[in-house]
Amino acid sequence: MAQNKTPSLLIRGGHIIDPASRIDGPMDLLLRDGQVAEIAPPNKIRGNAEGKFDARGLIVAPGFIDLHVHLREPGQSHKETIATGTAAAAAGGFTSVCCMPNTSPVVDSPEWVHWIRQPERGALVNVFPIAAATHHSKGAVLTDFRSLQEAGAVAVTDDGKPILDEAVMREALRTGAQLNLPVIQHAEDTRLTAHCSMNEGPTSFRLGLRGMTVAAEAEVVDRDVQLAQMTGGRFHVAHLSTAEALKPVRRGKRAKVRVTCEITPHHFTLIDENVGDYNTDFKMNPPLRSAFDREAILVALADGTVDAIATDHAPHALHEKQVEFERAPFGVTGLETALGLAITQLHRDHKLPLARIVELFTAGPARVLDLRGRGTLARGSFADVTIFDPKKRWIFDAAKSRSKSRNTPFDGWPLTGRVISTIVAGKVVHREG
Ligand code: DOR
Ligand code: ZN
């Protein structure tokens, strides 16, 4: 590792939750040279640290990892930049984000993967690029997975669109298997969802909008779990949103297929009725689903079926969202509200243990993409730490967001649980207040 000039930092008095190391108790933590130097019971760390952090009353966790973020560079910097998106990530407690390739141009070459990782981009947290699975994400011709991986891509996907063609998806999983590279699917049968702008159900009927069916998601997941089984490939379901799609994931996991999935905070919090009267800040893809789907998602988050919470942070400019519902782009921001929503909805209202929530933000996503030395505070791992107050009540004010965009359904929401500090490679990149 390169020489790290960041001063050493002792975080004391906190309650460490590190599910990967099965730690859940009062502990101190020493960060030095970009690594976790020591983790020990209170007051047992000897020797001097250059800096001290008083974590009394706070949870100290491995740095959060977001598997699904749209940073919009190259090409769409009016929505977000790598600098502004990672500033929002830091404020939300994320020390690592994986960015999606549906930019302009699409990230389908090693040159663009390199470009994203250059220091000139001004990233405040670790950025792991995910490259396109097919040229221009058109779903026809596979990209060169090996050279993309060598350039630093941690997975491939055509997110925003599915890899719909079965032969192409099979080949992607087969090639990915040889390289141990996960293939991430945006599971949507677009032959069934053309011109749809929300979930199919009583609300779409009331609003007179064409609705996406549950089957349009679940059938793609079902097919791809079978393809993963046939090929031995690593298959990850992005933003899973329906009860029906959880079935093939469960079946695959039982059969030891390499399948993983993520859930967004908006899908475990909201349902299609919340779209109200054509509010475009509630329009995203996959759409908000029924109360039945949300209940199934809550069960799956608790029982271990779900591997990660991922935001699908998808910033869009105000003028782009201020149009008729059917014409508005899909997507909502999410980096700064993820932890507050998880604690409020999952821990406070549904009694999910804090340790499980931390796992869904750390060890879970690290495992999905094999991010070695991340998602844990074991000695020798990267000095990425998220410190939060699980009891703090606050109100999310979108106007104060670090993101360039404001398209959130949670503006003005009272939340319980707030990020206090975010530490990347031993350096404080966010401090509340
Ligand atoms: O809501 C979404 N927004 N879903 C997608 O699949 C794409 C994303 C975006 O890029 O805005
Ligand atoms: Zn998607």
Side-chain angles (χ1 to χ4, degrees):
M1 181 190 279
Q3 192 65 29
N4 188 308
K5 293 285 193 291
T6 308
S8 56
L9 180 64
L10 176 63
I11 302 168
R12 7 168 234 216
H15 182 111
I16 295 192
I17 299 181
D18 178 11
S21 312
R22 295 173 198 278
I23 293 172
D24 188 342
M27 294 278 238
D28 294 344
L29 185 69
L30 178 64
L31 309 178
R32 189 193 290 133
D33 298 333
Q35 295 189 351
V36 174
E38 232 182 298
I39 176 165
N43 305 314
K44 289 283 186 256
I45 294 180
R46 300 276 163 241
N48 256 344
E50 288 148 284
K52 296 197 173 64
F53 190 109
D54 180 0
R56 277 176 297 176
L58 304 176
I59 303 291
V60 178
F64 290 0
I65 300 164
D66 192 341
L67 295 176
H68 195 140
V69 168
H70 297 270
L71 293 179
R72 303 302 192 205
E73 279 190 305
Q76 300 166 327
S77 55
H78 67 288
K79 297 175 194 271
E80 195 78 286
T81 65
I82 292 171
T84 60
T86 55
F94 293 99
T95 57
S96 295
V97 296
C98 305
C99 62
M100 289 294 160
N102 65 335
T103 47
S104 187
V106 168
V107 178
D108 59 3
S109 70
E111 288 74 21
W112 282 116
V113 175
H114 280 301
W115 185 88
I116 288 169
R117 298 176 68 218
Q118 279 162 2
E120 293 90 315
R121 301 289 87 76
L124 211 56
V125 308
N126 308 305
V127 174
F128 294 101
I130 295 173
T134 68
H135 283 281
H136 306 290
S137 282
K138 288 207 159 114
V141 182
L142 289 191
T143 49
D144 182 351
F145 288 8
R146 184 183 298 276
S147 65
L148 292 166
Q149 187 180 38
E150 281 166 2
V154 292
V156 290
T157 187
D158 282 346
D159 184 56
K161 295 188 271 188
I163 305 163
L164 202 53
D165 188 291
E166 180 167 336
V168 175
M169 186 59 178
R170 190 189 308 118
E171 209 42 43
L173 286 164
R174 200 193 307 280
T175 310
Q178 286 160 8
L179 300 165
N180 199 26
L181 190 68
V183 180
I184 302 177
Q185 179 67 293
H186 168 116
E188 174 188 357
D189 188 336
T190 44
R191 295 166 302 191
L192 306 175
T193 58
H195 311 294
C196 294
S197 51
M198 67 173 299
N199 184 47
E200 172 171 81
T203 304
S204 67
F205 185 77
R206 173 176 69 81
L207 296 176
L209 296 172
R210 254 183 275 210
M212 303 187 193
T213 60
V214 160
E217 172 175 279
E219 284 168 10
V220 174
V221 175
D222 189 46
R223 178 199 75 180
D224 293 348
V225 168
Q226 293 180 46
L227 292 177
Q229 183 156 31
M230 282 167 49
T231 57
R234 287 169 67 184
F235 169 51
H236 179 71
V237 187
H239 44 51
L240 186 149
S241 68
T242 61
E244 199 58 27
L246 284 166
K247 293 180 186 168
V249 171
R250 286 203 174 94
R251 217 180 302 127
K253 287 191 172 205
R254 269 200 304 272
K256 300 276 181 261
V257 178
R258 299 165 88 191
V259 54
T260 52
C261 70
E262 70 192 28
I263 298 282
T264 71
H266 46 272
H267 287 112
F268 68 61
T269 303
L270 301 169
I271 58 171
D272 53 3
E273 285 172 24
N274 298 117
V275 168
D277 287 322
Y278 311 98
N279 187 337
T280 61
D281 284 338
F282 290 70
K283 177 178 177 180
M284 74 295 285
N285 190 8
L288 299 172
R289 300 289 189 175
S290 66
F292 174 80
D293 290 306
R294 176 173 175 256
E295 288 302 321
I297 281 170
L298 290 168
V299 170
L301 282 161
D303 73 11
T305 304
V306 177
D307 297 275
I309 293 172
T311 65
D312 196 3
H313 176 82
H316 293 290
L318 190 60
H319 71 271
E320 295 166 324
K321 279 288 199 179
Q322 278 186 340
V323 296
E324 297 88 325
F325 194 86
E326 287 177 288
R327 288 179 52 222
F330 291 104
V332 295
T333 58
L335 286 164
E336 290 156 294
T337 43
L339 177 71
L341 288 167
I343 291 179
T344 308
Q345 299 291 323
L346 305 178
H347 179 60
R348 193 195 66 184
D349 294 352
H350 287 88
K351 306 300 167 219
L352 211 69
L354 272 185
R356 173 65 180 147
I357 290 173
V358 171
E359 181 178 40
L360 287 161
F361 279 116
T362 60
R367 229 181 298 119
V368 169
L369 294 187
D370 239 334
L371 302 175
R372 305 276 165 86
R374 315 247 180 223
T376 173
L377 292 174
R379 183 201 284 248
S381 46
F382 291 97
D384 296 347
V385 184
T386 299
I387 301 176
F388 64 95
D389 182 343
K391 298 211 169 80
K392 179 143 180 132
R393 293 153 169 266
W394 60 293
I395 290 173
F396 177 60
D397 179 0
K400 296 208 179 94
S401 173
R402 273 73 163 182
S403 169
K404 250 194 192 183
S405 294
R406 302 280 180 267
N407 51 311
T408 167
F410 303 112
D411 188 23
W413 271 46
L415 296 171
T416 300
R418 183 156 207 189
V419 175
I420 301 299
S421 188
T422 309
I423 298 169
V424 176
K427 189 170 154 231
V428 176
V429 296
H430 171 76
R431 183 89 201 238
E432 179 49 37

